[in-house]
Amino acid sequence: MGSRHQSRERALQILFQYDIHGKPGVWLDEFWNQCQATEDVRSFAEQLVTGVLGHKNDLDALIGKYATNWKVSRMQIVDRNILRLGAYELLWLDEVPAKVTVNEAIELAKDFGDEEAAKFVNGILDKVLTTEAKLALKRQEAVRQPQNGRDE
């Protein structure tokens, strides 16, 4: 398993806890104490968490725009945080190819969500990728460069 995949898993777990607790606390220190993570894994996970939390309102508005008949607040906690991570990567991490972002989000949904989560996440992130003007360059790159979709 690649270090960035591990970082995404850790970021998802932290964002899940933020949704429950609302703020950092002892739980965050305990999480990192119990978690076996290299400095690279922790650093990228913290970058993702900081980015998602810093853009949370914008991300939720964007997800809500494409989640037909769904309010972000009513989504399962895991699903909405996978979507936040994916949308954040698509919009603000230019160095990560779109195919990698979407495939990683689908894998997280398969690992942590229910049986419909992967389809749900794929559908919404695909709409974000194919519709948002800011992502035109990533769309072009996704078409030009076939990848295995994994980010080591």
Side-chain angles (χ1 to χ4, degrees):
M1 176 184 330
S3 65
R4 287 210 164 186
H5 182 75
Q6 290 176 351
S7 295
R8 289 179 182 95
E9 285 184 350
R10 302 301 179 257
L12 175 61
Q13 293 165 330
I14 292 168
L15 290 169
F16 185 95
Q17 291 298 321
Y18 267 100
D19 254 7
I20 293 170
H21 297 290
K23 59 184 177 183
V26 175
W27 65 266
L28 186 56
D29 292 331
E30 289 176 9
F31 174 83
W32 285 118
N33 287 335
Q34 294 176 13
C35 176
Q36 296 291 331
T38 65
E39 187 56 40
D40 287 345
V41 168
R42 184 172 177 162
S43 177
F44 189 58
E46 289 176 345
Q47 177 187 354
L48 292 171
V49 169
T50 300
V52 168
L53 294 177
H55 295 283
K56 185 174 170 240
N57 291 337
D58 293 332
L59 292 167
D60 286 357
L62 181 71
I63 293 164
K65 177 178 168 182
Y66 295 110
T68 308
N69 301 321
W70 280 95
K71 289 185 178 182
V72 175
S73 63
R74 303 274 306 180
M75 291 177 186
Q76 292 189 36
I77 295 173
V78 170
D79 295 353
R80 75 172 161 243
N81 282 298
I82 292 170
L83 288 167
R84 287 171 179 160
L85 277 170
Y88 171 74
E89 277 195 41
L90 286 172
L91 292 164
W92 283 284
L93 294 184
D94 295 335
E95 72 276 9
V96 180
K99 283 186 177 184
V100 171
T101 296
V102 173
N103 286 339
E104 286 286 318
I106 291 167
E107 289 303 313
L108 288 173
K110 287 178 181 177
D111 291 344
F112 293 97
D114 65 21
E115 60 189 46
E116 295 297 315
K119 292 178 192 174
F120 182 67
V121 165
N122 184 39
I124 293 173
L125 290 180
D126 185 61
K127 287 179 187 175
V128 170
L129 180 60
T130 58
T131 307
E132 288 298 304
K134 182 179 179 183
L135 296 174
L137 184 58
K138 279 201 175 188
R139 277 193 298 276
Q140 291 172 355
E141 289 172 355
V143 171
R144 278 187 297 193
Q145 292 185 328
Q147 298 178 7
N148 67 3
R150 294 303 291 224
D151 189 24
E152 302 302 317

